[in-house]
Amino acid sequence: MSLEIRAACPGEEGLALGFIRKLADYEKLAHEVTATAEDLREALFGPSPRCHCDLAFWNGEPAGFALWFYNFSTFAGKAGIYLEDLFVEPHLRGKGIGKALLKGLARRCLAEGLPRLQWWVLDWNAPSIAVYKALGAKPMEEWTVFRVSGPELEALAS
Amino acid sequence: MSISIRPAVDGDGPILIAMVRELAVHHGFEESFVARPEDYERFLADPHALNGALIAEWNGEPAGCATWQRAYQTFLGRETLYLEDISVLPAFRRRGIATALLKAVARLAVERRAAAVGWLMMGWNSEARGLYEKLGATIYDGNSSCKLTGEALERLAR
C-alpha cells in the first residue's frame, strides 16, 4: 500500500481537468466548468505558469490533486500559497490522502519562508470542514465574498 | 473631475503602506499589519510581478489605493484578478474615489482578459456592500475562507 505525491508533468493536464470536473460536481457547480485541457496546459506548463498542481497516486492509481498558486499578503508584506482546488476520489477517502496533500503544501510554505496557506470551503461541506479543523486550520467567518464578471465587469470597466 | 488613477511604481512603497495600514486599522486588524515599504517596493520594481497597486489622487494628492493580484480559476480555465485592498484615506471619503478605483481595477481585468475580479468584505460593512451591489458585484454569502498559519502550519508540516 503506497501513497505517492508529486508535481504534475506536461501531458497530465487531462488528469487535472478530470479532477477539477469531479470537484465541481461534488460542489454542485458542474455547470460552471468551461475550462479545457488546453487552458490548463497553458496555465500549468506554459512560459509563465499561473498555477501549480500536485498529484496523489495510491498504489499507482490517480487518487487526487491539489491545485495552487502563490498569493501576497499586503498586511504581512509576504507571499503565501492559495490552494484553489483539493480533491480525493470518493473510493480512496479515509486514507489520509487529503491530509498528505495539505502537509506537502505546508512543508513548501516553511521551506520557502511563506507564513500562510489559505483556501476556501463551501459552508455546507461538513466532512471537509471537520478535516481542516482537525489539522489546526481556522475558519475566517466574518468575511463575505464578492465577484464581478461577464457583462457586469464590462459595464463597470466602461 | 479631480480624481486621477495611476499605477503604483517604484518609490510608492511608503504611501501605499500608509494607506493599507489605514485599511487594517479601519477593520480592527492593526496588530496584523507588519508590512514595511521595502516589502512593497519588491513587487513595485518588478515588471513581471504577479501583484500590483493603483493609486488614486485627488487634485494631485494621494487619496486612496487598490492592491490587486493575478489569480486563477480552474473551473473557468482563466486568469482572474483578486482585489486584496481598497482603501480611501479618511479626509478624502465621499468623493467617489472608491468607485473610481473599482472601475480602474475592472478596466485592468478587461485589458488583461481576466475573467473576473474577486474580493472579500467583512459582514458588518453595510456601506461597502451597498456600493459593491450598486456597481454590479455578486455577493457569495455561503463561503468560508480557511487559513493555516503559525504553530498549526508548522505542526502540519512536520
Side-chain angles (χ1 to χ4, degrees):
Chain A
M1 294 293 170
S2 75
L3 174 63
E4 184 205 354
I5 293 179
R6 60 164 176 78
C9 303
E12 290 180 321
E13 57 274 5
L15 195 50
L17 182 57
F19 284 135
I20 288 166
R21 289 204 174 111
K22 288 179 179 181
L23 174 62
D25 207 49
Y26 177 84
E27 293 182 341
K28 310 191 213 300
L29 296 170
H31 55 282
E32 285 194 4
V33 180
T34 53
T36 64
E38 188 50 48
D39 291 330
L40 287 171
R41 181 163 69 208
E42 184 64 28
L44 287 168
F45 308 120
S48 75
R50 296 301 314 113
C51 55
H52 308 272
C53 180
D54 297 333
L55 294 171
F57 298 86
W58 179 261
N59 293 338
E61 182 193 342
F65 82 140
L67 196 144
W68 55 274
F69 50 87
Y70 292 102
N71 64 3
F72 186 83
S73 165
T74 48
F75 283 18
K78 291 194 165 186
I81 288 181
Y82 179 78
L83 173 60
E84 165 82 359
D85 294 327
L86 178 69
F87 180 81
V88 177
E89 291 278 13
H91 67 282
L92 293 173
R93 286 179 196 154
K95 299 181 190 307
I97 295 174
K99 179 175 176 176
L101 284 163
L102 284 165
K103 262 187 173 298
L105 290 173
R107 282 196 202 109
R108 177 182 286 277
C109 282
L110 289 202
E112 297 181 17
L114 310 177
R116 189 182 69 182
L117 172 62
Q118 187 161 306
W119 65 96
W120 291 88
V121 69
L122 285 160
D123 62 5
W124 53 257
N125 193 349
S128 298
I129 290 171
V131 169
Y132 303 151
K133 284 186 170 168
L135 294 175
K138 293 183 198 127
M140 295 172 61
E141 271 150 356
E142 302 151 297
W143 296 91
T144 306
V145 183
F146 275 80
R147 186 186 302 167
V148 64
S149 57
E152 288 81 11
L153 181 62
E154 311 256 341
L156 184 57
S158 65
Chain B
M1 218 22 156
S2 316
I3 301 173
S4 64
I5 311 273
R6 63 170 180 82
V9 295
D10 209 3
D12 282 329
I15 186 63
L16 276 177
I17 286 280
M19 292 198 242
V20 179
R21 180 186 281 119
E22 163 60 36
L23 181 71
V25 168
H26 182 74
H27 282 77
F29 290 144
E30 190 166 6
E31 283 156 25
S32 319
F33 190 85
V34 296
R36 303 150 308 166
E38 50 266 42
D39 297 324
Y40 288 12
E41 294 291 351
R42 234 171 276 129
F43 67 78
L44 291 174
D46 177 4
H48 303 294
L50 297 179
N51 57 315
L54 298 171
I55 292 181
E57 290 173 335
W58 177 268
N59 293 337
E61 216 184 320
C65 74
T67 65
W68 55 264
Q69 305 182 25
R70 293 173 66 183
Y72 191 80
Q73 272 179 29
T74 49
F75 289 9
L76 303 176
R78 296 269 308 273
E79 192 163 324
T80 59
L81 277 192
Y82 177 69
L83 169 64
E84 177 146 14
D85 307 301
I86 177 157
S87 176
V88 178
L89 294 172
F92 298 93
R93 292 198 181 135
R94 305 225 155 285
R95 295 178 195 186
I97 293 174
T99 298
L101 282 165
L102 284 161
K103 273 193 161 295
V105 174
R107 270 196 293 274
L108 191 62
V110 170
E111 273 162 28
R112 291 174 165 274
R113 306 187 32 193
V117 178
W119 68 98
L120 302 179
M121 182 202 68
M122 297 205 90
W124 51 257
N125 201 342
S126 51
E127 193 183 344
R129 186 183 185 118
L131 173 63
Y132 302 151
E133 282 175 330
K134 193 177 86 168
L135 295 177
T138 305
I139 303 163
Y140 296 83
D141 286 310
N143 276 298
S144 300
S145 172
C146 290
K147 179 169 72 171
L148 259 180
T149 189
E151 204 194 331
L153 181 63
E154 290 178 49
R155 198 179 308 126
L156 184 61
R158 256 182 252 136

